[in-house]
Amino acid sequence: MKKRTLLLSVIAALSFAAVAYAVTTLTGYSRQYIDKDNRITAAVTDITGILSVNDSEDVFDVKTEELTNYFAENGINTAIVPFNNGLTAAGKITGFGYCFEGAVFSNGKDVLETIKKPMENAGIQIILEIDCTELSAEQLQSAVTQINKEYAFAGILLRNYSHDYSFLQTLKMNINRQLKDNYFGIRLDSIETARQIQPFGAVDFYIFDNITETEYRNAKKQSFSKETVLLDYNSPNFLSELFLLGNFGGYDGVVLCEYTNPSEDLSLYHNIMDTSSTLQKFGFLVNSSFNLIYPSQNTDTYYSSIYITGIADPAQAVYVNGNEIMPAQDGTFGYYLELAKGENVIEVIQADNYISRVVNRKSYTGSLSSKKKYDKTQKAKKGQAVQTTEALTSILSDPDEDSTIIDGLQQGVQMKVQKSVRTQRNGIYTWAYQLSNGGYVLAEYVEWVSENQYIESILNDIYIEKLENDDEYLNIKATGKPAVVSHTDGTQITFEFLNADLSGEFYDENQQTHTVQLDSSFADECTIEKQNGNVYITFENTGSELWGYNTEYYDDNTIKIYLKNAPHKVSGAKPLSNVTVVVDAGHGGKDPGTLPLGGVEGPGEQDMNLAIAQATKICLEKLGATVYLTRSDDTFLTLQQRLDITNTVKPDLFVSVHHNSLEYTVDGSKECGVESYYFTPQSKYVAECMADRISQVTGRQNRGYYYGYYRVLRNDIAPSVLNEYAFLMNPYEYSTIYSDENIYKAAMGTALAVIDVIPE
């Protein structure tokens, strides 16, 4: 689409009405406002930003032509013009100023007469929006009458109306006397106000300000099925709303007042509204036959409370031990009960249905053993060589706390023990080994290496390898397979090689720090330093933005550090065309994750995770992204397999899809909402955006974003987050997550967060 730079100064405010499915086709020349063939059908434009009193007729004509062409080229067939908004009074219509003082054209016509003809010739109708704030009823009536007489525009729209609602009938009659097909509407910020106006039958269309999409849809379905209703939608989530509008219907139209730059390419909005490709459907259902799911049988417990779950007719109350509760909309229910010691009888009743269970709360009578338990690990002497046996081994700053992770080591890397310290895991004593960087590894994750098996690591060369995608490898020639730990503050990046030495051009007994020139887009040089038995390679990121990095070992004595360029959005219909995302559907196969309310015949976590992952892939691909799923069916994958996919693809973002679980000892009905987790510093902002956007689009509580050391988040190649989209144990939340529309809401919230975090 051709950019029109002159229009940057032409329109002060522009917003759009987007229509997915027309409820009615309006007849008559002026009644073309709802047009099912156009996805973006209306714009609001303030003509005080278009014209100047100093404009010549030629300049005015050029501006009008540019505006008209812009509307026409973008499928906009209606201009809503704020009529008495800041214009200088000319006195032709009582209470209004609508002409520019001193603006005289050779044809003698005023502003509105002059813009009307080219717009109507281009198939663009004009509706005048009147601000009623300071107008008496008499002024408003006179104005409406004269406007119709003067211009015969397609319609009148009132805003800030405060007169008696019955007076709208008088205004409507005045309009119809002049032009019977004129379209008469009102702009409101309350559905309740519209319901008070509705019985008078004077209003052809409503525009609602500042209500949610859900409120709008409910109102349209319940109260305004015959009237045309538009939503003046100023939500930051308008892209997701357009997508839902196009694919799930229920709208007459939406006015998007966030959009203010008329020179911008509108293809993104047309693309998001395009429904030529059928969305994947999931069709999850819940069987609401009366049943007590948990406890499923008489049971013993040592806990002092229990969360009872079940399924019932959603239209009738359920009684648990005589206490009334209403099931969720799909019939699922939950009830929290404090348990007395001994036998507790649970009776669940709905109408003629009855189920009972006995829960026996037992008291623990055993004695705790005072005998210390030890595992099979051994204390290592200083200098003992070890190598990692796990695919990912954590280095801890505190050997007693698993959460104090400094970094992770790959399998088979070698290092030497500085000292051994005793620690505990699950009440069992074990050993932790301190490394040369001060961190600790648990002894159970490494094995001892004899002197003849240990290969001393000596670094002797470093150079940059350019890749076709503008990423780079920092190649280091080195013997052995040393442990590498990374540190970054966002600009300075240091790679620390444990128990390593230098040779060749890097070796100098009298100089510990060396500067090496790099042919890199990220930095011109790096420093190499040997200190306390370790080697440090450091560079300042002064060039291209470093988005992520990853250490790889090769058999030819080369250690490759992958340096990843930051992705960037592009203009046009598919802003994520340069972005690659790995979407990980958590659990699967033999690992079902959280069961819905303990076993309801409906989707569990493995099913919901996969559905949202698949829907997210569709939404991201619609926006241009390249998307890889870690699993596309009900398959079990290990955590390392998921990490391996990420390390192979080297995406720009990694998103893991999960749903929250709860113990059967807490009140699941009180826990709800969205959470996001991150591990690496560069992932923190992504987690914040994910929690914000998913919460906004789904309407669920935003519980925040948190540090978490989940295995799938343990990589530096790209920002990585794990999203908990809802609580499956909360019946009132569970019942609102598994419809196709709600699955795509979660997916679009995720997609919008991706747009948020990718740089321009």
Side-chain angles (χ1 to χ4, degrees):
M1 184 183 301
K2 183 179 180 182
K3 298 283 186 181
R4 298 181 177 276
T5 55
L6 284 176
L7 283 175
L8 286 170
S9 60
V10 169
I11 301 179
L14 178 66
S15 59
F16 298 98
V19 177
Y21 297 106
V23 216
T24 180
T25 301
L26 303 172
T27 59
Y29 169 74
S30 64
R31 296 279 187 109
Q32 59 180 3
Y33 188 78
I34 300 302
D35 184 349
K36 66 180 180 180
D37 295 325
N38 283 315
R39 291 299 182 187
I40 300 175
T41 62
V44 180
T45 179
D46 187 347
I47 60 173
T48 63
I50 300 174
L51 305 175
S52 166
V53 295
N54 298 317
D55 283 343
S56 67
E57 182 177 0
D58 289 341
V59 171
F60 176 85
D61 289 342
V62 168
K63 290 181 177 180
T64 302
E65 182 181 4
E66 288 178 342
L67 178 63
T68 302
N69 289 343
Y70 183 77
F71 276 36
E73 289 175 2
N74 286 284
I76 300 168
N77 68 9
T78 300
I80 302 177
V81 178
F83 184 55
N84 55 327
N85 182 22
L87 300 182
T88 303
K92 288 185 65 177
I93 296 179
T94 305
F96 288 88
Y98 67 101
C99 296
F100 284 85
E101 186 177 7
V104 179
F105 304 112
S106 60
N107 56 18
K109 294 182 178 180
D110 65 22
V111 171
L112 294 178
E113 289 174 325
T114 308
I115 67 173
K116 179 184 178 185
K117 184 175 180 180
M119 282 200 171
E120 288 186 348
N121 287 342
I124 300 166
Q125 61 187 353
I126 298 176
I127 290 179
L128 294 187
E129 183 174 43
I130 300 174
D131 189 343
C132 305
T133 303
E134 298 180 357
L135 299 180
S136 67
E138 292 75 16
Q139 287 175 320
L140 182 56
Q141 182 175 354
S142 174
V144 168
T145 300
Q146 292 183 62
I147 287 170
N148 280 332
K149 183 178 179 181
E150 288 279 338
Y151 303 111
F153 284 132
I156 298 291
L157 172 65
L158 304 183
R159 72 182 304 156
N160 297 322
Y161 181 83
S162 59
H163 302 296
D164 188 274
Y165 298 145
S166 63
F167 182 61
L168 293 170
Q169 292 176 311
T170 302
L171 294 177
K172 177 64 173 175
M173 285 190 296
N174 287 342
I175 292 172
N176 286 343
R177 275 198 294 266
Q178 298 293 332
L179 183 65
K180 66 177 182 178
D181 288 330
N182 194 279
Y183 205 30
F184 184 51
I186 190 166
R187 182 188 289 272
L188 303 168
D189 60 5
S190 167
I191 293 172
E192 289 307 313
T193 302
R195 289 196 177 106
Q196 296 174 42
I197 294 173
Q198 189 181 33
F200 295 101
V203 177
D204 299 307
F205 71 101
Y206 298 89
I207 294 180
F208 287 138
D209 298 331
N210 303 319
I211 66 171
T212 67
E213 173 270 334
T214 301
E215 290 173 328
Y216 168 87
R217 186 175 297 195
N218 289 339
K220 181 62 186 173
K221 181 179 180 180
Q222 297 170 9
S223 305
F224 302 98
S225 59
K226 295 181 180 179
E227 295 91 342
T228 298
V229 180
L230 305 178
L231 177 60
D232 191 341
Y233 202 66
N234 56 8
S235 164
N237 305 310
F238 62 89
L239 271 184
S240 66
E241 299 301 343
L242 285 178
F243 176 82
L244 294 165
L245 163 66
N247 288 282
F248 293 96
Y251 295 80
D252 294 341
V254 176
V255 179
L256 300 175
C257 58
E258 286 293 314
Y259 187 82
T260 59
N261 183 1
S263 67
E264 187 173 321
D265 186 347
L266 301 188
S267 57
L268 171 60
Y269 306 101
H270 287 286
N271 171 46
I272 209 70
M273 289 290 292
D274 180 23
T275 58
S276 58
S277 298
T278 303
L279 287 185
Q280 180 177 346
K281 305 296 183 183
F282 303 99
F284 292 131
L285 296 172
V286 166
N287 182 353
S288 59
S289 299
F290 184 76
N291 196 9
L292 183 59
I293 304 300
Y294 185 82
S296 60
Q297 57 187 2
N298 297 340
T299 187
D300 295 337
T301 183
Y302 290 101
Y303 293 109
S304 61
S305 59
I306 190 171
Y307 185 58
I308 301 161
T309 65
I311 188 89
D313 180 353
Q316 301 183 66
V318 172
Y319 295 87
V320 181
N321 288 0
N323 297 294
E324 179 181 349
I325 56 173
M326 283 303 297
Q329 63 187 25
D330 62 355
T332 55
F333 67 86
Y335 185 81
Y336 176 74
L337 180 66
E338 296 282 353
L339 297 174
K341 291 183 178 179
E343 291 190 349
N344 295 260
V345 178
I346 298 173
E347 295 181 316
V348 181
I349 301 171
Q350 186 184 61
D352 296 331
N353 297 304
Y354 173 84
I355 296 177
S356 68
R357 298 277 190 268
V358 176
V359 178
N360 182 27
R361 179 185 169 189
K362 302 173 68 175
S363 298
Y364 186 78
T365 56
S367 60
L368 296 174
S369 173
S370 60
K371 184 179 180 180
K372 294 181 179 180
K373 296 182 179 180
Y374 297 86
D375 66 8
K376 296 181 180 180
T377 61
Q378 301 179 46
K379 180 179 180 180
K381 294 181 179 179
K382 182 177 181 179
Q384 173 64 53
V386 296
Q387 69 179 20
T388 54
T389 58
E390 302 295 311
L392 181 63
T393 298
S394 297
I395 303 179
L396 308 176
S397 61
D398 182 346
D400 297 327
E401 294 291 338
D402 286 334
S403 62
T404 62
I405 300 171
I406 299 173
D407 210 331
L409 300 176
Q410 297 182 37
Q411 188 174 22
V413 301
Q414 296 184 336
M415 54 251 169
K416 290 188 175 181
V417 176
Q418 301 302 301
K419 71 175 182 179
S420 298
V421 296
R422 181 82 76 181
T423 185
Q424 288 188 60
R425 290 297 184 274
N426 299 319
I428 299 175
Y429 283 97
T430 187
W431 289 98
Y433 301 147
Q434 188 178 45
L435 307 178
S436 58
N437 71 332
Y440 297 83
V441 295
L442 294 179
E444 64 177 306
Y445 300 132
V446 299
E447 61 185 5
W448 290 13
V449 177
S450 64
E451 284 298 325
N452 62 349
Q453 292 175 314
Y454 178 74
I455 303 175
E456 183 181 9
S457 180
I458 301 175
L459 283 61
N460 53 55
D461 194 11
I462 183 170
Y463 59 94
I464 289 292
E465 177 186 350
K466 303 276 189 180
L467 303 176
E468 290 183 1
N469 61 357
D470 293 329
D471 294 345
E472 298 174 0
Y473 273 120
L474 180 65
N475 289 339
I476 298 119
K477 286 293 185 179
T479 58
K481 192 175 181 180
V484 181
V485 180
S486 61
H487 314 274
T488 180
D489 60 6
T491 56
Q492 180 174 285
I493 299 96
T494 298
F495 298 97
E496 181 180 2
F497 296 73
L498 305 188
N499 306 118
D501 206 341
L502 297 170
S503 69
E505 63 178 281
F506 299 145
Y507 178 74
D508 188 335
E509 290 183 349
N510 301 316
Q511 183 178 356
Q512 296 298 312
T513 302
H514 310 269
T515 300
V516 177
Q517 300 301 310
L518 294 177
D519 180 23
S520 171
S521 63
F522 299 103
D524 295 329
E525 62 184 25
C526 69
T527 61
I528 301 178
E529 179 182 14
K530 181 181 177 182
Q531 187 178 14
N532 299 325
N534 299 332
V535 172
Y536 300 83
I537 298 178
T538 302
F539 66 87
E540 298 282 345
N541 184 200
T542 56
S544 300
E545 182 182 356
L546 183 61
W547 190 252
Y549 49 86
N550 188 49
T551 302
E552 303 172 9
Y553 297 89
Y554 289 80
D555 293 335
D556 63 349
N557 288 333
T558 302
I559 301 171
K560 290 176 173 283
I561 299 176
Y562 194 96
L563 304 177
K564 186 173 183 59
N565 258 298
H568 292 278
K569 291 192 285 276
V570 298
S571 60
K574 298 190 175 185
L576 299 180
S577 295
N578 294 331
V579 178
T580 300
V581 184
V582 168
V583 180
D584 169 47
H587 303 284
K590 65 182 182 180
D591 174 19
T594 302
L595 297 175
L597 298 174
V600 170
E601 292 182 17
E605 185 180 7
Q606 62 184 355
D607 308 306
M608 287 302 306
N609 293 349
L610 180 58
I612 291 178
Q614 291 171 325
T616 299
K617 181 176 188 291
I618 290 169
C619 294
L620 288 172
E621 287 178 340
K622 191 173 187 66
L623 294 167
T626 300
V627 183
Y628 295 87
L629 296 180
T630 56
R631 68 179 179 95
S632 56
D633 54 22
D634 190 19
T635 301
F636 173 77
L637 293 175
T638 66
L639 298 177
Q640 188 57 43
Q641 285 174 316
R642 298 170 196 267
L643 266 179
D644 290 342
I645 292 171
T646 305
N647 290 329
T648 299
V649 172
K650 295 181 174 60
D652 300 301
L653 288 172
F654 172 91
V655 180
S656 191
V657 178
H658 284 260
H659 287 76
N660 247 322
S661 61
L662 292 169
E663 298 292 335
Y664 283 97
T665 58
V666 299
D667 190 349
S669 300
K670 292 183 177 180
E671 300 296 331
C672 60
V674 178
E675 297 173 343
S676 188
Y677 291 85
Y678 68 92
F679 176 74
T680 61
Q682 68 264 40
S683 304
K684 185 175 182 179
Y685 175 62
V686 181
E688 179 182 5
C689 289
M690 286 287 173
D692 287 347
R693 282 296 196 178
I694 296 168
S695 172
Q696 289 169 8
V697 176
T698 62
R700 297 173 202 147
Q701 177 185 340
N702 184 352
R703 296 170 63 95
Y705 56 101
Y706 307 94
Y707 171 84
Y709 52 98
Y710 297 108
R711 182 92 170 247
V712 292
L713 303 181
R714 303 277 301 278
N715 75 80
D716 292 302
I717 194 63
S720 301
V721 293
L722 185 151
N723 296 327
E724 301 276 7
Y725 285 81
F727 281 80
L728 299 190
M729 289 287 286
N730 183 330
Y732 306 104
E733 186 155 85
Y734 175 72
S735 64
T736 65
I737 67 172
Y738 56 79
S739 70
D740 286 350
E741 181 175 352
N742 284 317
I743 288 170
Y744 279 99
K745 280 187 177 182
M748 279 304 298
T750 309
L752 289 185
V754 173
I755 292 179
D756 288 342
V757 301
I758 300 299
E760 296 290 343

